[in-house]
Amino acid sequence: VNRRTVGTFTVSKVLVTFGGEDPANLTVPAARYFAGAGYSVTAILPEKKRPSEPLENITFIEPVVNLKETLYKYDLVVTHYGLTAFEANSAGCAVILAATSRLHEKLSKSYGFCTLSRKQLELPFDASLFSDVSKLFPPCAASGVENRSLGDYIKNLAHGARFECPVCKNSGKSAEKEKSPEEPDEIVARTEFRTFRRCRSCGIIYMSWSIKSEAADYGKSYFSEQYKNQYGKTYLEDFEFIKKSCGRRVMELNSTLRIAHYAKPAVLDIGCAYGPFLSAANDKGWQVFGTDIAEDAVSYVQNTLLFPAVCAPFPEFDSAVSFGINQFDAVTMWYVIEHFSDLAPVLTKVSSLLKKGGMFAFSTPSGQGVSAKLNRQHFFEESPADHYTIWEPSRAGKILQQFGFQIVKTVSTGHHAERFPQVKAHGWEKTSLPFKMYQTASRLCRMGDTFEVYCRKVK
Ligand SMILES: [Zn+2]
């Protein structure tokens, strides 16, 4: 509400604030930097963190309630990237940011803020900082430039959604967490739009906050336009190729399933899409059933492939009603498990749909593949907004065990030698020997960007 009256701009009063805690200890260096040049500096810092000697031109004050309404009293606000920066900009103050991390620096610059590094704060005051005043009032923060106005930014923040660990939140095993609810899980990655944490109870990596909370639409465009944008052709155009890799998965299932050779085992494919896996399993003598929430895909399976399929959400789906079958020899989910924001009921239902000794098989992106290991920030930036969990081969066993499954086999898939830095740097061709060596190394070290899990219902 309170804004500076706009007139000729001169700096005399400077506010330095890095939040109540100031974990990066930037308040004192930043206050000294401007005080040294003769400006009158007010610095927000709790008493216990202040230097014992008084400093010339610096007045320390305690954290201020409703700070945003007092910002207008200052000519210049020095802070880090965050809401205060936008509020100060909106209040008509000049803003200079100090970078607490490389991510903060990137974010500050992308909104056009003038940014000082910690190193610069240790040097004598640089008067050229104030030579181009327009840099202290980045227009993209206050008014719409490239759709990045303050209003849009705040609106986006308001649309953000928080998520708990999908495995633990409804598993009845969150007692450990309830003991100390104030202590959040460790952050493994933070991108402009999302935060990822590792659950300290079950070990899975999950999306704990996302700016985009609209429910994903798995309608026709998910498999046509959207799919084509990502892979260059539609799902149906890709059908035979996908089916080929499904054939290998059926062989894996055959080798792990202990069934009498005369039986015709039954498999339920959850998230069957247009049915490439059902088709491959049918070719190899399985009795196949599919479910998906995409109507167009299910009607293709029913009317073109002629397999039993239902359009139903999981885990609400009722197998006895839909297929007259209570339990299957195998249940499969190919690139589906990461889409559930609530996994405990899903895994419990999968178990109930399996005969004892039956197999549950799924595939998912790997949090331990070459992309996740060697280009971690990019991996999390690229993780789709509707992926709630990121599984890691080394931690999957412990999680599945909670639901009565024992891993029989994991297969590392999606090998991309071209994603290794050395291969990238040399530009080795796919047919070259070094490329092939990296491809082999990726297989041996299980560095694929995706993986498959085959586990048995033991309990
Ligand atoms: Zn958990």
Side-chain angles (χ1 to χ4, degrees), residues 171-254:
S171 71
K173 295 202 173 186
S174 47
E176 189 194 321
K177 284 193 167 180
E178 278 158 16
K179 271 187 230 160
S180 52
E182 72 285 348
E183 191 189 315
D185 288 331
E186 166 214 359
I187 291 175
V188 292
R190 195 167 245 167
T191 71
E192 193 172 350
F193 302 113
R194 290 187 272 285
T195 303
F196 297 86
R197 294 176 192 270
R198 183 184 298 287
C199 173
R200 64 176 179 278
S201 169
C202 72
I204 205 162
I205 297 174
Y206 66 99
M207 183 165 75
S208 68
W209 192 85
S210 174
I211 207 162
K212 287 175 190 155
S213 64
E214 319 94 66
D217 176 12
Y218 302 109
K220 203 170 173 179
S221 95
Y222 185 76
F223 294 104
S224 51
E225 288 90 16
Q226 283 187 51
Y227 191 92
K228 198 165 181 167
N229 282 342
Q230 200 175 347
Y231 302 105
K233 44 187 159 183
T234 68
Y235 191 89
L236 274 178
E237 285 165 352
D238 218 7
F239 190 91
E240 285 306 318
F241 177 77
I242 303 170
K243 184 176 165 181
K244 224 171 116 187
S245 66
C246 290
R248 186 187 50 72
R249 294 176 195 155
V250 179
M251 299 307 281
E252 299 281 7
L253 265 185
N254 283 344

XYZ file of all heavy atoms in Angstrom, residues 171-254:
695
model
N 0.395 -44.191 4.693
C 0.817 -45.572 4.878
C 0.665 -46.017 6.317
O 0.856 -47.174 6.638
C 2.280 -45.734 4.450
O 3.109 -45.081 5.389
N 0.299 -45.069 7.205
C 0.200 -45.404 8.620
C 1.571 -45.572 9.253
O 1.694 -46.014 10.379
N 2.629 -45.227 8.483
C 3.986 -45.390 9.021
C 4.671 -44.044 9.210
O 5.881 -43.956 9.230
C 4.814 -46.258 8.077
C 4.282 -47.664 7.982
C 5.337 -48.625 7.514
C 4.774 -50.047 7.601
N 5.748 -51.053 7.307
N 3.856 -42.990 9.309
C 4.455 -41.668 9.406
C 4.652 -41.233 10.859
O 4.908 -40.077 11.134
C 3.597 -40.647 8.661
O 2.255 -40.801 9.016
N 4.550 -42.194 11.777
C 4.682 -41.870 13.202
C 6.003 -41.175 13.497
O 6.052 -40.210 14.257
C 4.563 -43.139 14.034
N 7.050 -41.646 12.822
C 8.384 -41.085 13.047
C 8.398 -39.592 12.739
O 9.012 -38.809 13.430
C 9.364 -41.825 12.138
C 10.825 -41.504 12.414
C 11.707 -42.001 11.277
O 11.427 -43.108 10.750
O 12.639 -41.289 10.919
N 7.681 -39.245 11.653
C 7.655 -37.843 11.231
C 6.806 -36.990 12.164
O 7.111 -35.836 12.394
C 7.094 -37.738 9.821
C 8.073 -38.153 8.791
C 7.581 -37.734 7.423
C 8.695 -37.871 6.435
N 8.284 -37.487 5.108
N 5.743 -37.597 12.675
C 4.840 -36.820 13.526
C 5.527 -36.363 14.803
O 5.128 -35.393 15.417
C 3.579 -37.644 13.846
C 2.567 -37.563 12.705
C 1.586 -38.709 12.692
O 1.481 -39.409 13.715
O 0.933 -38.909 11.649
N 6.583 -37.083 15.175
C 7.319 -36.713 16.381
C 7.942 -35.329 16.232
O 8.038 -34.590 17.193
C 8.434 -37.741 16.651
C 7.967 -38.897 17.503
C 9.173 -39.769 17.865
C 8.870 -41.226 17.567
N 10.086 -42.024 17.446
N 8.397 -35.008 15.038
C 9.021 -33.690 14.838
C 8.520 -33.070 13.541
O 9.233 -32.985 12.560
C 10.542 -33.830 14.806
O 10.920 -34.810 13.867
N 7.238 -32.660 13.533
C 6.659 -32.128 12.300
C 7.304 -30.820 11.866
O 7.214 -30.436 10.713
C 5.188 -31.919 12.671
C 5.155 -31.817 14.151
C 6.307 -32.624 14.670
N 7.964 -30.143 12.818
C 8.538 -28.837 12.459
C 9.837 -28.993 11.663
O 10.323 -28.052 11.075
C 8.772 -27.981 13.723
C 9.914 -28.411 14.621
C 9.568 -29.666 15.438
O 8.389 -30.063 15.480
O 10.490 -30.233 16.024
N 10.384 -30.219 11.662
C 11.649 -30.431 10.961
C 11.375 -31.013 9.577
O 11.053 -32.183 9.434
C 12.505 -31.396 11.775
C 13.928 -31.480 11.288
C 14.669 -32.604 11.983
O 14.552 -32.730 13.226
O 15.327 -33.371 11.268
N 11.474 -30.184 8.527
C 11.113 -30.701 7.197
C 12.188 -31.639 6.641
O 13.330 -31.634 7.114
C 11.018 -29.431 6.346
C 11.841 -28.414 7.050
C 11.908 -28.790 8.490
N 11.800 -32.442 5.641
C 12.753 -33.339 4.996
C 13.826 -32.538 4.269
O 13.592 -31.423 3.818
C 12.015 -34.240 3.992
C 11.163 -35.284 4.683
O 11.530 -35.690 5.801
O 10.134 -35.695 4.105
N 14.962 -33.173 4.125
C 16.112 -32.543 3.459
C 15.775 -32.213 1.998
O 15.187 -33.034 1.285
C 17.285 -33.535 3.527
C 18.448 -33.250 2.632
C 19.116 -34.527 2.111
O 18.678 -35.646 2.466
O 20.063 -34.400 1.331
N 16.153 -31.009 1.552
C 15.909 -30.611 0.161
C 17.010 -31.190 -0.725
O 18.188 -31.034 -0.427
C 15.881 -29.072 0.035
C 14.623 -28.531 0.733
C 15.914 -28.634 -1.431
C 14.530 -27.034 0.780
N 16.637 -31.893 -1.789
C 17.650 -32.420 -2.699
C 17.814 -31.516 -3.918
O 18.877 -31.491 -4.526
C 17.369 -33.870 -3.163
C 17.506 -34.844 -2.014
C 16.013 -34.009 -3.797
N 16.777 -30.769 -4.266
C 16.893 -29.859 -5.399
C 15.791 -28.818 -5.332
O 14.693 -29.086 -4.845
C 16.803 -30.615 -6.718
N 16.147 -27.627 -5.811
C 15.149 -26.561 -5.866
C 15.270 -25.942 -7.249
O 16.364 -25.555 -7.662
C 15.471 -25.553 -4.773
C 14.337 -24.620 -4.496
C 14.598 -23.868 -3.222
N 13.626 -24.214 -2.207
C 13.751 -23.900 -0.932
N 14.827 -23.309 -0.503
N 12.801 -24.199 -0.080
N 14.169 -25.876 -7.977
C 14.187 -25.220 -9.277
C 13.284 -24.005 -9.171
O 12.671 -23.769 -8.127
C 13.676 -26.154 -10.392
O 12.261 -26.324 -10.209
C 14.356 -27.514 -10.342
N 13.196 -23.244 -10.244
C 12.382 -22.030 -10.192
C 10.930 -22.363 -9.838
O 10.250 -21.594 -9.188
C 12.461 -21.318 -11.548
C 11.925 -19.917 -11.494
C 12.175 -19.154 -12.783
O 12.937 -19.655 -13.639
O 11.593 -18.076 -12.925
N 10.447 -23.541 -10.267
C 9.041 -23.857 -10.086
C 8.754 -24.950 -9.068
O 7.618 -25.174 -8.705
C 8.414 -24.275 -11.432
C 8.552 -23.220 -12.490
C 9.350 -23.430 -13.600
C 7.898 -22.010 -12.348
C 9.484 -22.447 -14.568
C 8.027 -21.024 -13.306
C 8.814 -21.231 -14.420
N 9.766 -25.693 -8.636
C 9.503 -26.856 -7.792
C 10.594 -27.081 -6.752
O 11.728 -26.681 -6.938
C 9.386 -28.119 -8.647
C 8.117 -28.141 -9.493
C 7.946 -29.460 -10.204
N 8.609 -29.491 -11.484
C 8.160 -28.875 -12.567
N 7.034 -28.199 -12.513
N 8.815 -28.929 -13.692
N 10.191 -27.764 -5.666
C 11.154 -28.183 -4.648
C 11.075 -29.694 -4.516
O 9.979 -30.264 -4.541
C 10.820 -27.537 -3.287
O 10.814 -26.128 -3.449
C 11.832 -27.912 -2.230
N 12.227 -30.346 -4.424
C 12.269 -31.795 -4.247
C 12.968 -32.113 -2.921
O 13.996 -31.503 -2.611
C 13.036 -32.465 -5.396
C 12.389 -32.269 -6.733
C 12.654 -31.147 -7.498
C 11.480 -33.211 -7.217
C 12.040 -30.957 -8.732
C 10.868 -33.033 -8.449
C 11.145 -31.899 -9.213
N 12.382 -33.046 -2.178
C 12.976 -33.444 -0.905
C 13.161 -34.949 -0.856
O 12.524 -35.677 -1.606
C 12.054 -33.038 0.265
C 11.922 -31.543 0.432
C 10.920 -31.222 1.553
N 10.575 -29.805 1.535
C 11.240 -28.868 2.223
N 12.257 -29.196 2.993
N 10.878 -27.604 2.148
N 14.011 -35.404 0.068
C 14.139 -36.833 0.300
C 13.443 -37.162 1.614
O 13.745 -36.561 2.641
C 15.603 -37.274 0.369
C 15.738 -38.787 0.539
C 17.173 -39.229 0.702
N 18.021 -38.928 -0.444
C 17.972 -39.566 -1.621
N 17.083 -40.533 -1.810
N 18.791 -39.229 -2.592
N 12.480 -38.082 1.563
C 11.741 -38.457 2.762
C 12.690 -39.144 3.732
O 13.363 -40.102 3.373
C 10.591 -39.382 2.395
S 9.745 -40.044 3.849
N 12.746 -38.644 4.959
C 13.704 -39.235 5.895
C 13.174 -40.543 6.471
O 13.889 -41.278 7.132
C 14.046 -38.267 7.010
C 12.919 -37.881 7.929
C 13.458 -36.981 9.033
N 12.405 -36.574 9.935
C 11.577 -35.576 9.699
N 11.678 -34.904 8.575
N 10.642 -35.258 10.568
N 11.903 -40.831 6.198
C 11.346 -42.067 6.709
C 11.516 -43.220 5.709
O 11.990 -44.287 6.065
C 9.875 -41.812 7.052
O 9.222 -42.981 7.308
N 11.159 -43.009 4.430
C 11.246 -44.118 3.468
C 12.379 -43.939 2.456
O 12.736 -44.877 1.755
C 9.926 -44.284 2.718
S 9.606 -42.966 1.528
N 12.934 -42.726 2.349
C 14.093 -42.511 1.480
C 13.773 -42.092 0.052
O 14.677 -41.819 -0.725
N 12.490 -42.019 -0.310
C 12.183 -41.658 -1.705
C 12.351 -40.147 -1.916
O 12.212 -39.356 -0.968
C 10.749 -42.111 -2.089
C 10.665 -42.321 -3.600
C 9.686 -41.104 -1.631
C 9.497 -43.159 -4.044
N 12.685 -39.760 -3.144
C 12.718 -38.336 -3.498
C 11.323 -37.960 -3.997
O 10.758 -38.677 -4.826
C 13.759 -38.050 -4.600
C 15.165 -38.389 -4.098
C 13.698 -36.591 -5.051
C 16.241 -38.278 -5.171
N 10.763 -36.892 -3.466
C 9.416 -36.508 -3.890
C 9.342 -35.009 -4.110
O 10.130 -34.240 -3.562
C 8.370 -36.964 -2.859
C 8.461 -36.285 -1.505
C 7.627 -35.218 -1.180
C 9.396 -36.699 -0.560
C 7.716 -34.590 0.060
C 9.487 -36.079 0.675
C 8.649 -35.034 0.980
O 8.743 -34.403 2.201
N 8.372 -34.601 -4.933
C 8.142 -33.186 -5.189
C 7.369 -32.650 -3.993
O 6.263 -33.116 -3.719
C 7.330 -33.055 -6.481
C 7.079 -31.638 -6.919
S 6.522 -31.624 -8.642
C 4.832 -32.203 -8.423
N 7.956 -31.714 -3.249
C 7.282 -31.246 -2.031
C 6.560 -29.932 -2.260
O 5.725 -29.522 -1.472
C 8.290 -31.095 -0.899
O 9.185 -30.036 -1.185
N 6.894 -29.262 -3.350
C 6.215 -27.995 -3.664
C 6.298 -27.771 -5.152
O 7.324 -28.044 -5.776
C 6.889 -26.833 -2.923
C 6.088 -25.570 -2.965
C 5.076 -25.210 -2.131
C 6.232 -24.504 -3.934
N 4.571 -23.990 -2.506
C 5.255 -23.533 -3.607
C 7.051 -24.280 -5.026
C 5.097 -22.356 -4.333
C 6.901 -23.109 -5.759
C 5.932 -22.165 -5.394
N 5.193 -27.316 -5.734
C 5.195 -27.035 -7.156
C 4.325 -25.834 -7.432
O 3.249 -25.675 -6.868
C 4.661 -28.243 -7.928
O 4.544 -27.909 -9.292
N 4.819 -24.978 -8.318
C 4.093 -23.758 -8.636
C 2.900 -24.062 -9.528
O 1.917 -23.349 -9.545
C 5.047 -22.740 -9.290
C 4.575 -21.322 -9.026
C 5.250 -23.006 -10.768
C 5.662 -20.296 -9.261
N 2.993 -25.147 -10.294
C 1.899 -25.504 -11.191
C 1.096 -26.628 -10.571
O 1.572 -27.742 -10.476
C 2.442 -25.954 -12.544
C 2.986 -24.805 -13.351
C 3.628 -25.306 -14.614
C 4.394 -24.165 -15.281
N 5.465 -24.675 -16.106
N -0.106 -26.303 -10.148
C -0.847 -27.325 -9.430
C -2.059 -27.826 -10.206
O -2.807 -28.648 -9.723
C -1.302 -26.776 -8.075
O -2.194 -25.712 -8.292
N -2.257 -27.311 -11.443
C -3.411 -27.789 -12.202
C -3.236 -29.295 -12.429
O -2.140 -29.764 -12.687
C -3.542 -27.123 -13.582
C -3.254 -25.656 -13.645
C -1.809 -25.384 -14.022
O -1.439 -25.706 -15.155
O -1.080 -24.866 -13.168
N -4.338 -30.035 -12.326
C -4.267 -31.473 -12.536
C -3.885 -31.725 -13.990
O -4.343 -31.040 -14.895
C -5.612 -32.101 -12.221
N -2.995 -32.698 -14.202
C -2.590 -33.025 -15.563
C -3.768 -33.626 -16.314
O -4.610 -34.296 -15.727
C -1.429 -34.010 -15.522
N -3.821 -33.346 -17.610
C -4.909 -33.866 -18.421
C -4.359 -34.994 -19.295
O -3.520 -34.777 -20.155
C -5.456 -32.720 -19.290
C -6.531 -33.204 -20.246
O -7.007 -34.347 -20.081
O -6.882 -32.438 -21.167
N -4.827 -36.222 -19.023
C -4.337 -37.356 -19.798
C -5.314 -37.706 -20.925
O -5.563 -38.854 -21.206
C -4.095 -38.570 -18.895
C -3.113 -38.278 -17.784
C -3.520 -38.167 -16.463
C -1.767 -38.084 -18.080
C -2.624 -37.883 -15.452
C -0.859 -37.797 -17.074
C -1.291 -37.695 -15.764
O -0.403 -37.414 -14.767
N -5.902 -36.671 -21.506
C -6.844 -36.887 -22.603
C -6.109 -37.215 -23.887
O -4.931 -37.564 -23.890
N -6.822 -37.075 -24.997
C -6.298 -37.472 -26.291
C -4.971 -36.765 -26.621
O -4.047 -37.375 -27.154
C -7.348 -37.151 -27.354
C -7.183 -37.969 -28.604
C -8.376 -37.793 -29.512
C -8.098 -38.495 -30.840
N -9.220 -38.390 -31.758
N -4.877 -35.470 -26.247
C -3.682 -34.717 -26.643
C -2.437 -35.201 -25.921
O -1.322 -35.010 -26.382
C -3.891 -33.215 -26.430
O -3.378 -32.809 -25.188
N -2.603 -35.841 -24.755
C -1.462 -36.360 -24.002
C -0.691 -37.368 -24.849
O 0.525 -37.457 -24.789
C -1.953 -37.012 -22.705
C -0.860 -37.484 -21.781
C -0.135 -36.580 -21.013
C -0.548 -38.835 -21.665
C 0.870 -37.007 -20.161
C 0.454 -39.272 -20.813
C 1.150 -38.346 -20.056
O 2.140 -38.789 -19.208
N -1.430 -38.145 -25.654
C -0.801 -39.180 -26.476
C -0.607 -38.738 -27.923
O 0.010 -39.436 -28.699
C -1.635 -40.464 -26.445
C -1.685 -41.107 -25.095
C -2.817 -41.007 -24.288
C -0.589 -41.808 -24.610
C -2.853 -41.599 -23.035
C -0.616 -42.397 -23.358
C -1.753 -42.285 -22.571
N -1.192 -37.590 -28.287
C -0.995 -37.123 -29.664
C -0.112 -35.871 -29.705
O 1.100 -36.006 -29.794
C -2.341 -36.916 -30.356
O -3.190 -36.107 -29.567
N -0.714 -34.663 -29.565
C 0.089 -33.433 -29.709
C 1.232 -33.376 -28.695
O 2.388 -33.163 -29.053
C -0.775 -32.170 -29.560
C -1.710 -31.894 -30.728
C -3.060 -32.561 -30.542
O -3.363 -32.970 -29.393
O -3.816 -32.705 -31.516
N 0.887 -33.570 -27.408
C 1.921 -33.453 -26.369
C 3.018 -34.482 -26.567
O 4.208 -34.196 -26.403
C 1.297 -33.685 -24.984
C 0.514 -32.530 -24.457
C 0.092 -32.808 -23.011
O 0.887 -33.161 -22.156
N -1.192 -32.682 -22.742
N 2.627 -35.701 -26.914
C 3.576 -36.784 -27.116
C 4.480 -36.469 -28.302
O 5.687 -36.651 -28.257
C 2.809 -38.088 -27.333
C 3.676 -39.331 -27.305
C 3.872 -40.037 -26.118
C 4.283 -39.815 -28.452
C 4.659 -41.173 -26.078
C 5.075 -40.953 -28.426
C 5.256 -41.627 -27.234
O 6.031 -42.752 -27.206
N 3.843 -35.967 -29.355
C 4.571 -35.640 -30.578
C 5.592 -34.531 -30.326
O 6.718 -34.580 -30.832
C 3.584 -35.208 -31.665
C 4.174 -35.273 -33.060
C 3.103 -35.206 -34.119
C 3.751 -35.305 -35.490
N 2.786 -35.554 -36.534
N 5.187 -33.546 -29.510
C 6.123 -32.465 -29.174
C 7.379 -33.017 -28.533
O 8.478 -32.529 -28.750
C 5.468 -31.475 -28.199
C 4.533 -30.544 -28.923
O 4.620 -30.410 -30.141
N 3.638 -29.914 -28.193
N 7.214 -34.052 -27.688
C 8.357 -34.586 -26.960
C 9.151 -35.615 -27.766
O 10.370 -35.647 -27.708
C 7.885 -35.186 -25.631
C 9.028 -35.315 -24.644
C 8.557 -35.787 -23.278
O 7.366 -35.806 -22.978
N 9.479 -36.192 -22.443
N 8.450 -36.477 -28.504
C 9.134 -37.597 -29.146
C 9.127 -37.540 -30.682
O 9.639 -38.439 -31.341
C 8.526 -38.931 -28.691
C 8.575 -39.133 -27.197
C 7.422 -39.000 -26.437
C 9.776 -39.434 -26.557
C 7.457 -39.178 -25.048
C 9.827 -39.617 -25.192
C 8.666 -39.485 -24.433
O 8.704 -39.655 -23.086
N 8.485 -36.524 -31.265
C 8.531 -36.379 -32.719
C 7.483 -37.156 -33.472
O 7.362 -37.029 -34.684
N 6.761 -38.054 -32.804
C 5.635 -38.725 -33.451
C 4.573 -39.047 -32.399
O 4.851 -38.947 -31.212
C 6.072 -39.996 -34.176
C 7.038 -40.882 -33.406
C 7.519 -42.021 -34.289
C 8.818 -42.613 -33.786
N 9.353 -43.651 -34.625
N 3.363 -39.387 -32.839
C 2.318 -39.661 -31.861
C 2.529 -41.045 -31.268
O 3.290 -41.861 -31.792
C 0.907 -39.631 -32.503
O 0.798 -40.747 -33.380
C 0.661 -38.339 -33.256
N 1.837 -41.305 -30.182
C 1.965 -42.592 -29.492
C 1.612 -43.739 -30.431
O 2.294 -44.760 -30.467
C 1.041 -42.598 -28.266
C 1.272 -43.751 -27.324
C 2.201 -43.655 -26.289
C 0.556 -44.936 -27.456
C 2.420 -44.706 -25.422
C 0.769 -45.994 -26.589
C 1.691 -45.880 -25.569
O 1.896 -46.923 -24.713
N 0.546 -43.551 -31.215
C 0.123 -44.632 -32.122
C 1.138 -44.863 -33.240
O 1.390 -45.999 -33.633
C -1.267 -44.350 -32.698
C -2.418 -44.819 -31.812
C -3.763 -44.459 -32.437
C -2.364 -46.330 -31.545
N 1.758 -43.748 -33.718
C 2.816 -43.897 -34.736
C 4.019 -44.634 -34.156
O 4.777 -45.274 -34.870
C 3.247 -42.517 -35.252
C 2.233 -41.885 -36.194
C 2.458 -40.391 -36.417
O 3.303 -39.775 -35.730
O 1.747 -39.832 -37.271
N 4.172 -44.534 -32.850
C 5.305 -45.129 -32.149
C 4.985 -46.545 -31.643
O 5.813 -47.200 -31.031
C 5.639 -44.228 -30.945
C 7.127 -44.120 -30.695
O 7.891 -44.641 -31.530
O 7.512 -43.537 -29.676
N 3.752 -47.000 -31.907
C 3.225 -48.216 -31.283
C 4.136 -49.429 -31.452
O 4.476 -50.108 -30.485
C 1.834 -48.519 -31.863
C 1.088 -49.603 -31.132
C 0.250 -49.293 -30.072
C 1.215 -50.935 -31.509
C -0.447 -50.289 -29.399
C 0.536 -51.936 -30.834
C -0.301 -51.611 -29.778
N 4.551 -49.706 -32.692
C 5.330 -50.920 -32.952
C 6.681 -50.882 -32.233
O 7.148 -51.884 -31.719
C 5.528 -51.132 -34.462
C 4.280 -51.640 -35.170
C 3.679 -52.921 -34.531
O 4.452 -53.831 -34.157
O 2.441 -52.997 -34.404
N 7.266 -49.672 -32.176
C 8.549 -49.514 -31.486
C 8.387 -49.774 -29.983
O 9.172 -50.493 -29.367
C 9.105 -48.112 -31.746
C 10.388 -47.835 -31.027
C 11.584 -48.360 -31.514
C 10.406 -47.078 -29.858
C 12.775 -48.123 -30.846
C 11.595 -46.844 -29.181
C 12.774 -47.362 -29.673
N 7.322 -49.185 -29.414
C 7.077 -49.385 -27.978
C 6.788 -50.861 -27.705
O 7.268 -51.442 -26.744
C 5.899 -48.510 -27.477
C 6.169 -47.026 -27.762
C 5.656 -48.718 -25.998
C 4.960 -46.124 -27.524
N 6.021 -51.458 -28.634
C 5.640 -52.862 -28.452
C 6.881 -53.769 -28.410
O 6.925 -54.741 -27.659
C 4.698 -53.300 -29.581
C 4.175 -54.729 -29.398
C 3.182 -55.142 -30.456
C 2.994 -56.655 -30.434
N 2.045 -57.111 -31.459
N 7.874 -53.416 -29.193
C 9.096 -54.212 -29.224
C 9.761 -54.244 -27.840
O 10.169 -55.291 -27.350
C 10.068 -53.636 -30.264
C 10.729 -54.707 -31.117
C 11.505 -54.090 -32.249
C 12.991 -54.381 -32.114
N 13.786 -53.657 -33.100
N 9.850 -53.071 -27.223
C 10.474 -53.058 -25.890
C 9.558 -53.734 -24.871
O 10.015 -54.286 -23.878
C 10.839 -51.639 -25.466
O 9.685 -50.860 -25.291
N 8.243 -53.726 -25.141
C 7.315 -54.438 -24.250
C 7.533 -55.951 -24.351
O 7.384 -56.666 -23.366
C 5.865 -54.108 -24.610
S 5.416 -52.417 -24.205
N 7.909 -56.405 -25.554
C 8.170 -57.831 -25.746
C 9.287 -58.297 -24.821
O 9.198 -59.366 -24.205
N 10.315 -57.467 -24.696
C 11.419 -57.796 -23.784
C 10.931 -57.840 -22.338
O 11.313 -58.716 -21.561
C 12.535 -56.762 -23.936
C 13.773 -57.086 -23.139
C 14.787 -55.964 -23.176
N 14.217 -54.659 -22.848
C 13.840 -54.283 -21.632
N 13.974 -55.112 -20.618
N 13.325 -53.096 -21.433
N 10.039 -56.911 -21.985
C 9.513 -56.904 -20.614
C 8.712 -58.163 -20.325
O 8.759 -58.698 -19.217
C 8.627 -55.672 -20.391
C 9.397 -54.363 -20.444
C 8.438 -53.182 -20.310
N 9.084 -51.944 -20.700
C 8.430 -50.878 -21.146
N 7.113 -50.905 -21.267
N 9.084 -49.789 -21.478
N 7.969 -58.643 -21.337
C 7.192 -59.878 -21.145
C 8.154 -61.041 -20.885
O 7.904 -61.885 -20.012
C 6.295 -60.181 -22.363
C 5.522 -61.485 -22.154
C 5.337 -59.029 -22.625
N 9.276 -61.070 -21.624
C 10.261 -62.130 -21.415
C 10.834 -62.073 -19.997
O 11.032 -63.099 -19.363
C 11.409 -62.023 -22.438
C 10.987 -62.165 -23.888
S 10.036 -63.649 -24.207
C 11.366 -64.837 -24.281
N 11.075 -60.846 -19.519
C 11.562 -60.691 -18.137
C 10.543 -61.257 -17.160
O 10.883 -61.956 -16.211
C 11.815 -59.207 -17.798
C 12.860 -58.506 -18.639
C 14.293 -58.822 -18.225
O 14.489 -59.691 -17.352
O 15.218 -58.214 -18.811
N 9.269 -60.930 -17.417
C 8.209 -61.429 -16.533
C 8.162 -62.948 -16.572
O 8.071 -63.607 -15.531
C 6.847 -60.891 -16.978
C 6.304 -59.647 -16.310
C 4.893 -59.377 -16.825
C 6.288 -59.782 -14.792
N 8.226 -63.511 -17.786
C 8.189 -64.968 -17.931
C 9.305 -65.625 -17.139
O 9.114 -66.669 -16.523
C 8.325 -65.365 -19.409
C 7.025 -65.158 -20.165
O 5.966 -65.000 -19.549
N 7.102 -65.143 -21.478
